[in-house]
Amino acid sequence: MTGPVARGSIRRTLFLQLCAIAALLAVAFFFIVRSLAEGAAEQTQDDILAASATAIADSLRAEDGAVTLELPYSALSMLGTINEDRVFYRITVNGETLTGYDDLPLGDSAFATFNYRGDTVRRVQQSRVISTGGSAQQVTIAVAQTRRGMEAISGRITATATAVALAFFGVAAGLSLWAAHTALSPFQRMTQSVTRRGPTDLRPITSAMPQELVPLASAINGFMGRLGASLKRSEDFITEAAHRVRTPLATVRTQAEITHRKLQKPEHKQAIRSMIRAVDESSRSAGQMLDHAMVTLRTDSLDHAQLDLRDLVADTCERLAPTADLKDIRLTQSLPPGPVPYTGDRVLLQSALRNILDNAIKYSPADSTVSVDFAPGTPHRISFTDQGRGFNGTSLSDLTHRFSRGSNVDDIVGSGLGLTIADEVARAHGGALDISENTERTGACVSLLLA
Amino acid sequence: MRLLALGLILSLLASFVLAYEIEDQITYPAPSGETSVLRIISTADRPAFEPILTAFQAQNPGLTIHYTITGTSDVMQAIEAERAPFDLVISSAMDLQTKLANDGFAQPYRSAATDALPPWAKWRDQLFAFTMERAVLVLSTSDFPTLPATREGLIATLRNAPSQFRGRVGTYDIARSGFGYLMATQDSRHSDSFWRLAEVMGSLDARLYRSSGDMIRAVASGELALAYNVLGSYAATQISPSGDIRIVELSDHVNVMLRTALIPTWAQNPGSARAMIDFLTTLKTQPSITSASGLPPIDAGALSANPALRPVRLGPGLLVFLDRLKRDTFLRNWHSAVSRE
Ligand SMILES: Nc1ncnc2c1ncn2[C@@H]1O[C@H](COP(=O)(O)OP(=O)(O)OP(=O)(O)O)[C@@H](O)[C@H]1O
Ligand SMILES: [Mg+2]
């Protein structure tokens, strides 16, 4: 029987997908925080620069027909309060530099970033119109500052954002693992509840479960229903078939025996005897086939029951004692003194033991001894030794094949399924069937080994 | 022909180098086999700096030091205009030093010593302060039986006895002295009483001086009753504590000038310059040198001990008073108050 092939894992897929989402969110978070923070830092610098330029513009005045300026201390000192950046300024009147760094570039936009005196600077620029003696003068105020402080801030923020994003990802990955685990736990519970069931338990699954599992459970229930029905059909069919075959055969056999008694001519009696024999063989075959079918069915789902092996052996001997008595065969038992606990399928073990003992009695001559020896241990060895004809050169490995009979059977009725049944039962219990000759005298020794 | 060209270039260079005025140039040859040369341009005079230089040289015996002394504006000329080949620039003109650093002439440096400096004693890791020099009053006790505690108190005392103080109050000519200008501009920032004091001094026909030394001598001779904004460290070396001349620190605020050092970007021996900065900024640990030089070292604890101390703040604020228009206006206002012409 081949089992399902594992390809991929829902848990792993779920975990990886959640991790990928978390990583995506962490990266997005990092970039958003960084750009927001850098924007804020830049805005702060722009605001201070603009405040500085406004302070300068407000202190512009007209004096003696010219624009003049008394640079307020705060205009530049405020730029030095938040960081240690370099500061440049320039004031022009109608394009002519009034004071400040006369190479500081002016532009059209209020804010600009460019390279100046070996550093990147942010420059803010404002314009005012001052009227002096009736003429309007266009005054431009530019204040610039290097960005070392801002870069330090954004560096710190980037480091923090990185740390937070990494921490977020770590926590999210842990939670993903947990989420994947819990999401799949109903599957595990269902698997366990199905595995725990006995071989004959084909009841539907009725426990509460998440709605996603309901279709699967319904499918399993439907399948088990069909399986149960099909098993029942097979069993019924076999029982029915055996019954249908054996009942008419019994009738035929009775009629044949009556006829046999009435007949006088030896050749007629001989014909009826072979007919009775054929009927016996057919009847035996039907019974053994029924047993074998039952064994095959049960080995698929073995019943693990606690039982006493010693008791089982003794019981088998007791059941077959009448048959042995018919042939004046002595059954000697050497069993362990106490019970031998064992986990296995009682019906199957009984069938195996019965078939082996049946052979020993069947293939032994009258007035002989069959000894049953039970040596408990690992494995338990239950040997049936007879004083019959032995296997007489028959190939031993073939005897466990279906319908295979030895060349030593003479006219003894049989179907060739007895050892097949015993072998299958032994293997289903993790054991083996050991077939050998009687070592002391002619005869067979068949042992059931049970692990 | 080649020699001629070389000579021409050399003479050109010489004329170039000499474009700023030099007061004095002293060479301290390496005590043991010269391995490197440190060129310092400084505004500190020889008696103040020689103990420091020789102590530093004792630690670095392979070092020859060329010590060039000049005025604050000549330092500016040498560095800003001529990029003269110096390794270290030492000046008491905090505003000009700040401008040099702001305009990109200084290279950054960090060490355990500079990290240990209080934040107000350095700027951009380019400008390092190593002295704290207070602006003080120097007065004779014969004219001031009770010492003034604040500027308001001083104004009241002067107003109450105009005849006694007429012509006998001295201060810096801030148009000629960088230190005087720096102290006056800082005074103007800290209190309104500065301008009233200037008015009072003007009404008393205040006399203007170019150096602390001249003022101290004038007070010593009785010519002056009071000198305002004198360099305290210098006064302490000149005045014997037993005489009737007193050094007074006003309690409303005391301006503190910081002497600073920077390394030009083109320094040829930045290693020795950095070692010198480490040496200067840790002068407090060497009391024998500071007492010999008379330069008070940076002492972060001094500020908490005396809350009136106001170290001049390094940074772009100092650029304001360097602005040509601002300077013109300030000097005009000051002159109209003090000179009364
Ligand atoms: N105790 C025995 N002594 C001698 N031969 C044996 C013995 N047991 C089994 N055999 C040989 O092994 C063969 C297979 O035995 P098996 O029980 O499978 O078949 P069977 O006895 O012929 O038929 P049945 O299915 O009716 O028992 C037998 O036909 C016989 O030749
Ligand atoms: Mg048999």
Side-chain angles (χ1 to χ4, degrees):
Chain A
M1 196 170 108
T2 57
V5 182
R7 179 173 299 146
S9 145
I10 297 182
R11 184 205 301 251
R12 199 181 326 126
T13 312
L14 202 62
F15 171 65
L16 289 180
Q17 281 172 352
L18 288 174
C19 277
I21 292 169
L24 218 67
L25 287 177
V27 169
F29 169 84
F30 170 79
F31 280 111
I32 290 170
V33 166
R34 201 181 63 164
S35 80
L36 281 179
E38 277 178 356
E42 191 165 304
Q43 187 63 48
T44 308
Q45 189 179 32
D46 285 355
D47 289 349
I48 295 180
L49 282 170
S52 168
T54 307
I56 295 175
D58 289 346
S59 60
L60 287 166
R61 57 202 154 77
E63 202 175 275
D64 303 335
V67 175
T68 188
L69 165 74
E70 200 190 332
L71 197 61
Y73 179 76
S74 61
L76 297 190
S77 73
M78 71 166 86
L79 296 171
T81 49
I82 48 164
N83 53 46
E84 297 196 330
D85 271 302
R86 299 163 63 186
V87 169
F88 309 100
Y89 66 97
R90 181 185 181 189
I91 291 96
T92 62
V93 179
N94 299 330
E96 291 283 315
T97 301
L98 178 67
T99 185
Y101 292 76
D102 53 14
D103 57 345
L104 183 66
L106 301 177
D108 301 323
S109 57
F111 294 93
T113 307
F114 51 80
N115 235 52
Y116 178 67
R117 292 196 182 216
D119 245 329
T120 312
V121 298
R122 182 79 172 162
R123 187 218 58 208
V124 64
Q125 183 178 315
Q126 287 183 7
S127 288
R128 285 285 169 98
V129 175
I130 305 281
S131 61
T132 54
S135 69
Q137 314 269 7
Q138 180 73 29
V139 183
T140 305
I141 303 109
V143 183
Q145 193 183 27
T146 54
R147 323 188 85 196
R148 198 174 81 154
M150 210 198 76
E151 274 154 18
I153 292 175
S154 70
R156 269 202 306 281
I157 290 169
T158 305
T160 313
T162 311
V164 172
L166 282 179
F168 170 79
F169 177 73
V171 170
L175 289 178
S176 310
L177 202 62
W178 175 77
H181 182 77
T182 38
L184 290 182
S185 61
F187 275 100
Q188 233 152 8
R189 276 203 300 278
M190 193 161 106
T191 310
Q192 275 167 6
S193 80
V194 172
T195 325
R196 261 202 310 270
R197 290 172 171 234
T200 52
D201 187 354
L202 293 178
R203 281 174 301 139
I205 304 169
T206 51
S207 57
M209 62 186 75
Q211 67 182 54
E212 288 81 359
L213 274 183
V214 171
L216 177 62
S218 313
I220 291 177
N221 285 348
F223 176 74
M224 285 204 293
R226 288 198 301 281
L227 182 67
S230 143
L231 281 180
K232 179 105 181 49
R233 250 197 324 273
S234 311
E235 269 170 42
D236 288 353
F237 178 76
I238 292 168
T239 322
E240 178 76 11
H243 178 70
R244 292 229 173 208
V245 171
R246 277 205 275 192
T247 314
L249 281 179
T251 317
V252 171
R253 194 181 196 279
T254 320
Q255 293 300 323
E257 263 175 10
I258 294 168
T259 313
H260 182 259
R261 247 178 268 132
K262 285 183 187 155
L263 286 177
Q264 302 299 324
K265 282 189 179 166
E267 63 266 34
H268 289 165
K269 275 187 177 287
Q270 178 60 32
I272 290 295
R273 257 201 307 276
S274 45
M275 193 178 108
I276 289 173
R277 195 188 137 74
V279 168
D280 281 350
E281 219 143 60
S282 301
S283 176
R284 171 75 181 169
S285 285
Q288 285 292 77
M289 273 157 75
L290 179 61
D291 262 14
H292 183 248
M294 190 262 308
V295 166
T296 314
L297 274 176
R298 288 189 78 101
T299 47
D300 280 346
S301 52
L302 213 58
D303 184 14
H304 297 282
Q306 293 293 331
L307 45 87
D308 177 10
L309 216 48
R310 177 185 178 278
D311 183 47
L312 211 62
V313 174
D315 182 55
T316 307
C317 292
E318 202 178 309
R319 280 172 191 242
L320 285 178
T323 324
D325 281 350
L326 279 181
K327 287 178 83 176
D328 282 335
I329 290 175
R330 291 171 296 281
L331 272 181
T332 65
Q333 300 176 37
S334 122
L335 305 180
V340 180
Y342 186 74
T343 313
D345 192 311
R346 173 183 294 273
V347 180
L348 294 188
L349 291 170
Q350 263 169 354
S351 174
L353 293 171
R354 191 178 58 238
N355 269 293
I356 300 171
L357 183 55
D358 175 66
N359 279 353
I361 295 169
K362 191 162 66 173
Y363 295 109
S364 287
D367 200 18
S368 67
T369 306
V370 170
S371 53
V372 182
D373 293 294
F374 186 176
T378 32
H380 303 296
R381 174 181 279 269
I382 306 158
S383 315
F384 298 87
T385 315
D386 63 57
Q387 300 168 344
R389 65 200 71 189
F391 295 102
N392 212 359
T394 311
S395 156
L396 298 183
S397 58
D398 289 342
L399 296 180
T400 54
H401 291 175
R402 271 193 283 173
F403 304 112
S404 117
R405 305 197 69 202
S407 52
N408 57 346
V409 293
D410 292 342
D411 58 347
I412 293 172
V413 174
S415 66
L417 281 171
L419 289 186
T420 312
I421 290 169
D423 185 54
E424 278 177 15
V425 170
R427 277 191 280 124
H429 285 81
L433 193 65
D434 182 23
I435 305 170
S436 60
E437 297 284 354
N438 186 341
T439 47
E440 283 163 23
R441 45 176 297 175
T442 49
C445 175
V446 178
S447 310
L448 187 63
L449 303 177
L450 293 173
Chain B
M1 186 63 204
R2 202 177 280 171
L3 269 178
L4 197 80
L6 196 73
L8 215 88
I9 290 167
L10 277 179
S11 63
L12 262 174
L13 270 176
S15 70
F16 215 57
V17 167
L18 288 177
Y20 55 93
E21 258 174 54
I22 291 172
E23 283 173 20
D24 200 357
Q25 191 163 34
I26 309 129
T27 297
Y28 299 88
S32 67
E34 176 184 305
T35 55
S36 58
V37 178
L38 178 64
R39 292 180 185 78
I40 303 176
I41 185 167
S42 167
T43 62
D45 51 10
R46 184 172 177 171
F49 235 72
E50 200 161 75
I52 296 173
L53 294 176
T54 49
F56 182 64
Q57 220 172 21
Q59 286 184 8
N60 304 272
L63 187 68
T64 295
I65 301 179
H66 291 294
Y67 188 69
T68 305
I69 302 173
T70 183
T72 51
S73 52
D74 289 306
V75 168
M76 202 64 186
Q77 170 75 13
I79 302 301
E80 187 181 37
E82 297 173 24
R83 301 172 79 87
F86 288 104
D87 302 310
L88 194 64
V89 181
I90 292 171
S91 171
S92 56
M94 298 174 70
D95 43 4
L96 295 177
Q97 292 280 83
T98 300
K99 185 163 166 62
L100 284 179
N102 187 67
D103 292 3
F105 292 98
Q107 54 173 280
Y109 171 55
R110 274 188 76 170
S111 69
T114 69
D115 282 347
L117 280 176
W120 48 264
K122 60 187 170 193
W123 192 58
R124 289 182 60 78
D125 294 323
Q126 292 179 343
L127 204 54
F128 307 97
F130 63 96
T131 67
M132 292 175 71
E133 304 181 41
R134 307 164 188 209
V136 297
L137 288 183
V138 172
L139 45 78
S140 66
T141 45
S142 54
D143 288 295
F144 289 91
T146 56
L147 300 179
T150 63
R151 283 171 182 73
E152 292 297 338
L154 179 63
I155 289 170
T157 313
L158 293 179
R159 270 194 185 142
N160 287 342
S163 53
Q164 183 193 346
F165 291 111
R166 189 168 312 281
R168 299 187 63 224
V169 174
T171 190
Y172 267 108
D173 180 352
I174 68 167
R176 299 227 173 79
S177 159
F179 174 72
Y181 179 68
L182 183 63
M183 290 303 112
T185 51
Q186 294 298 316
D187 271 344
S188 73
R189 277 186 53 218
H190 290 311
S191 75
D192 307 328
S193 55
F194 168 73
W195 289 112
R196 274 188 288 121
L197 182 62
E199 295 276 351
V200 170
M201 290 204 274
S203 70
L204 295 172
D205 299 329
R207 294 166 62 177
L208 304 181
Y209 291 82
R210 283 196 66 173
S211 78
S212 288
D214 292 344
M215 276 188 275
I216 292 164
R217 274 187 294 278
V219 177
S221 70
E223 211 178 313
L224 288 184
L226 163 79
Y228 179 77
N229 268 353
V230 176
L231 199 52
S233 58
Y234 185 68
T237 64
Q238 301 294 308
I239 294 165
S240 65
S242 54
D244 59 355
I245 300 178
R246 285 287 143 78
I247 299 172
V248 175
E249 287 182 7
L250 296 174
S251 60
D252 46 356
H253 73 263
V254 179
N255 283 320
V256 180
M257 181 267 279
L258 311 174
R259 216 174 275 268
T260 55
L262 64 84
I263 308 173
T265 49
W266 57 84
Q268 283 160 12
N269 186 3
S272 295
R274 289 171 188 157
M276 185 72 183
I277 282 180
D278 285 348
F279 188 79
L280 289 173
T281 50
T282 52
L283 271 183
K284 189 171 186 302
T285 61
Q286 313 225 38
S288 61
I289 302 174
T290 52
S291 68
S293 77
L295 294 178
I298 292 289
D299 178 8
L303 287 195
S304 42
N306 181 358
L309 293 187
R310 301 265 193 286
V312 176
R313 208 169 95 206
L314 293 166
L318 281 176
L319 302 179
V320 171
F321 297 106
L322 284 180
D323 182 79
R324 190 180 49 81
L325 293 177
K326 178 81 174 181
R327 184 180 160 88
D328 287 351
T329 316
F330 191 88
L331 289 181
R332 205 165 55 238
N333 291 342
W334 187 80
H335 273 297
S336 72
V338 171
S339 307
R340 307 214 121 190
E341 264 129 36

